[in-house]
Amino acid sequence: MRNKYFLVTLFLLVANALFGQSTPIRGKVLLGNDGVEFVNVYIKSLGVGATTNMNGEFTIQVEKPGTYTLQVSMVGFKSSQQKVVVPQSSDQLIIQLEEMDEGLDEVVVSGTMQEVSKLDSPVPVEVYSANFFKANPTPSIFEALQTVNGVRPQVNCNVCNTGDIHINGLEGPYTMVLIDGMPIVSGLGTVYGLSGIPQALIDRMEIVKGPASTLYGSEAVGGLINVITKRTDAAPLFSTDAFVTGWGETNLDLGVRSNWGKKIQSLTGINGFYYDNPIDHNGDNFTDLTLSKRISVFQKINISRPQNRVFTVAGRYIYEDRWGGEMNWNSGFRGGEEVYGESIYTSRWETFGTWQLPTSENINFQFSANGHKQNSFYGSTSYMADQYIGFGQLTWTKTAEKHRVLLGMAYRYTYYDDNTAATSEVDSKKNMPSKMHLPGVFLQDEIKFSEKQSLLLGARYDYNSIHGSIVTPRVNYKISSADKTTTLRLSAGNGFRVANVFTEDHAALTGARDVVFEEELRPEKSWNVNGNLVKKIYTDSGVFVGLDGSVFYTYFTNRIVPDYETNPNQIIYANLDGSAVSQGLSLNADVAWPGGLSITTGATLMDVSVEEEGIKTRQLLTERFSGVWSVGYEFFSLGLKVDYTGNVYSPMRLPLLGELDDRPGYSPWYSIQNIQLTKSLGDKWEVYGGVKNLLNFTPAANSIARAFDPFDKNVDFATDGSVIPTPDNPNALTFDPSYVYTANQGARGFLGVRYTLNR
């Protein structure tokens, strides 16, 4: 009997040893014939991984048999995946690494309007992937850009929270926003079109700082932001990203890839945003955050053609109902003078695409069109506007020996009509919609002297139906070291902008001020010079350091500067009788360690000033110093990532309402910081959450002047429109929400979930 028990026990022990023990996955990571140390090898679905030793070898213990995906990554090399079956059929896996200069040498298009390697581009282009923005999830592109060096989302109104994007201190009208290279977001869309782009469909954003008018025409004076959507053949089969905040904001992104027959690939995206929770933490009886209900639908299709010729068409529709104002406002008060509210209904459609002509030459026709209808009230002041923009462009590229030539013709038609003085005949009630024709032609030649050195020459001629001929040249020079770890770029160029004040300046529409034009506005022109130096450092321990520094100088003539200070009840527009300058330097630094820690940081020091009649003044709402950072650490064994992001800004000059205004003339130093934890649940699910605005920073409670009297019923005015000080109004103030530099939204938690199905 004892022998029988002994045999049973022995059998159980052997079975446990055979079936209960883990199975090792052994492998070796090579670069050519040499083993590579400090490479991360990870099985995401199990949350286990290892780092290679000095011989490039690794071992991962797996508890149960199955088929798993190994993820192999190291800074400076292309990430890869490899299937492995446990138990393994071979004793050791061999994995080959492929170099990819700093891991960021993507194909870019924004700098030259042609697909080129980022490393080879003579124009400095900053690229930010979708993963970069996941470190601080936001419901709109406008907010997402808050951690990009030298780029600042500027809130322009304390009530309706509309805003624009500043690049190197230049206001939103100087920034062109493109979707897949097409000028979709402009005019009225500069304010409202940055919302509702489904971020689940965004592949990357390319940012060019400095004038790009030579290729893109008007509005690209300060720089451009090109939102690149995912290819229809590379997007996930299905993806969703949803989150909710402690304030009650709810955001949902959906993406679906499908095939319509054998030749048509489709990509569909939906974005929904809902916030209907009036909050007034600063006690001024106004909503701290604008309430909004938004729906956006995006559709992109790719049609397969012979010889892989391109034919892509996309479209988007967005509708938004937003309001901000006194806490007891509702739609019944819309347009009245009892309770103040700013209510905006926006309906907008867009379409764009590219068709490659069926010729032996590389000729492409690109097109875009958009319509924007706005129905809004700012208190009792109505603003009803319609805008239609049509754009077509034909480009021909040719590569011959050392030259890469781009020749293009473009035409842009802009129709704009509203119920303000901007589109009415002088001294008449007759309506006069603005109709602007802007044909142009451009030529660019990239001369490649060698693998290390190239020169780009370009020029553009436009004829504006209102302002006449405009010429914009540019030159770019690039030289790299033999190992491509050091690259120097020098550039000089010209930009121009034809202003349409009423589609760009929200302060002109609040009803709080009258708009005065001292003269017929002439096009602004600018000259820019820029130097950019990129240095990549690889250490023996596997640490990567990337440095990207720039100096910039932009000189403006005919600058259009709104004057808020001469008369506190007016905004006076005129071309500057003098000059304006934006100058400074910036530095980006990326550091990554093999163990999972990565740091991206940047700082910009600049001086943006206006000089007129020998007097130099700082531009309003422009900081001298700004800094951003994003710190991430991944715990591979736990499938957990921690992201800490933030920014810091130095004081900005703020628009006061006269000499008696007792509010500070400058904003304080301030910082918005966020923290997030992301947990992977297998290959498909992610759960994330954290806290935004950790320091709970908000502007002063008196940011809205005379919030208790939004219709100026108790303000006395002189015959010239100026305000008369009275015992009830000793500081001679009027209701004004333009004293604003950042949002009033304080600290709040957030929680979200992502699901991605690739096949």
Side-chain angles (χ1 to χ4, degrees), residues 421-495:
T423 57
S424 62
E425 199 171 62
V426 180
D427 299 325
S428 171
K429 294 183 179 180
K430 183 179 179 181
N431 191 48
M432 297 287 289
S434 171
K435 300 177 182 178
M436 186 178 296
H437 302 269
L438 189 63
V441 60
F442 53 91
L443 175 64
Q444 175 180 276
D445 184 12
E446 182 180 351
I447 308 168
K448 199 161 187 176
F449 301 117
S450 66
E451 287 296 321
K452 299 184 297 181
Q453 191 174 185
S454 63
L455 176 70
L456 184 144
L457 303 173
R460 181 180 180 120
Y461 170 80
D462 289 274
Y463 183 82
N464 186 283
S465 59
I466 298 176
H467 300 287
S469 299
I470 303 171
V471 178
T472 49
R474 77 163 171 176
V475 58
N476 296 80
Y477 173 75
K478 180 191 75 75
I479 185 169
S480 301
S481 61
D483 59 2
K484 297 186 178 181
T485 59
T486 304
T487 302
L488 173 66
R489 295 179 176 92
L490 302 173
S491 63
N494 177 245

Side-chain angles (χ1 to χ4, degrees), residues 71-335:
Q71 296 184 356
V72 182
S73 62
M74 182 179 183
V75 176
F77 299 89
K78 291 184 178 180
S79 297
S80 62
Q81 294 184 345
Q82 185 162 333
K83 293 287 184 181
V84 60
V85 178
V86 178
Q88 296 182 82
S89 57
S90 61
D91 292 334
Q92 188 179 62
L93 292 171
I94 300 298
I95 301 171
Q96 280 286 346
L97 280 182
E98 184 178 351
E99 287 187 284
M100 187 181 74
D101 299 298
E102 79 179 68
L104 295 174
D105 193 20
E106 301 96 338
V107 171
V108 296
V109 296
S110 301
T112 61
M113 209 179 283
Q114 303 178 77
E115 289 191 348
V116 297
S117 160
K118 178 179 181 288
L119 188 66
D120 290 335
S121 172
V123 179
V125 180
E126 296 181 14
V127 182
Y128 297 90
S129 69
N131 286 332
F132 175 85
F133 297 106
K134 286 181 179 179
N136 180 34
T138 61
S140 70
I141 289 178
F142 175 77
E143 296 176 57
L145 292 167
Q146 63 186 270
T147 51
V148 175
N149 185 27
V151 178
R152 183 171 68 85
Q154 166 65 41
V155 178
N156 291 328
C157 174
N158 268 311
V159 180
C160 69
N161 295 149
T162 54
D164 53 32
I165 303 297
H166 289 204
I167 294 182
N168 286 346
L170 298 177
E171 297 104 321
Y174 299 91
T175 300
M176 173 171 275
V177 181
L178 311 168
I179 300 180
D180 287 343
M182 290 291 96
I184 294 294
V185 183
S186 58
L188 280 171
T190 303
V191 177
Y192 303 100
L194 289 170
S195 300
I197 299 177
Q199 296 197 51
L201 302 185
I202 295 176
D203 179 67
R204 66 186 188 275
M205 292 189 206
E206 299 179 2
I207 298 177
V208 177
K209 299 173 183 177
S213 298
T214 302
L215 284 182
Y216 295 97
S218 178
E219 296 177 35
V221 179
L224 65 89
I225 298 170
N226 193 0
V227 181
I228 308 294
T229 60
K230 294 178 180 177
R231 299 198 325 265
T232 54
D233 61 345
L237 188 64
F238 176 81
S239 63
T240 182
D241 188 342
F243 68 85
V244 62
T245 74
W247 278 44
E249 302 160 278
T250 302
N251 187 78
L252 173 66
D253 273 323
L254 293 174
V256 179
R257 173 172 57 87
S258 59
N259 292 323
W260 301 354
K262 296 181 179 180
K263 294 186 177 182
I264 300 177
Q265 299 87 43
S266 167
L267 187 59
T268 305
I270 298 174
N271 169 256
F273 179 77
Y274 182 87
Y275 173 67
D276 194 29
N277 182 32
I279 292 177
D280 177 26
H281 284 167
N282 63 9
D284 62 0
N285 195 40
F286 271 74
T287 52
D288 291 344
L289 179 67
T290 303
L291 284 71
S292 174
K293 302 170 186 176
R294 181 178 70 236
I295 185 70
S296 174
V297 180
F298 178 91
Q299 181 66 58
K300 180 178 183 180
I301 62 173
N302 180 72
I303 302 174
S304 299
R305 300 174 59 205
Q307 299 179 359
N308 293 321
R309 292 192 179 99
V310 177
F311 187 14
T312 300
V313 180
R316 181 171 73 119
Y317 175 77
I318 178 173
Y319 177 80
E320 184 179 39
D321 174 1
R322 64 189 289 132
W323 76 269
E326 294 185 272
M327 290 292 288
N328 59 331
W329 187 93
N330 60 55
S331 58
F333 295 108
R334 194 173 195 261

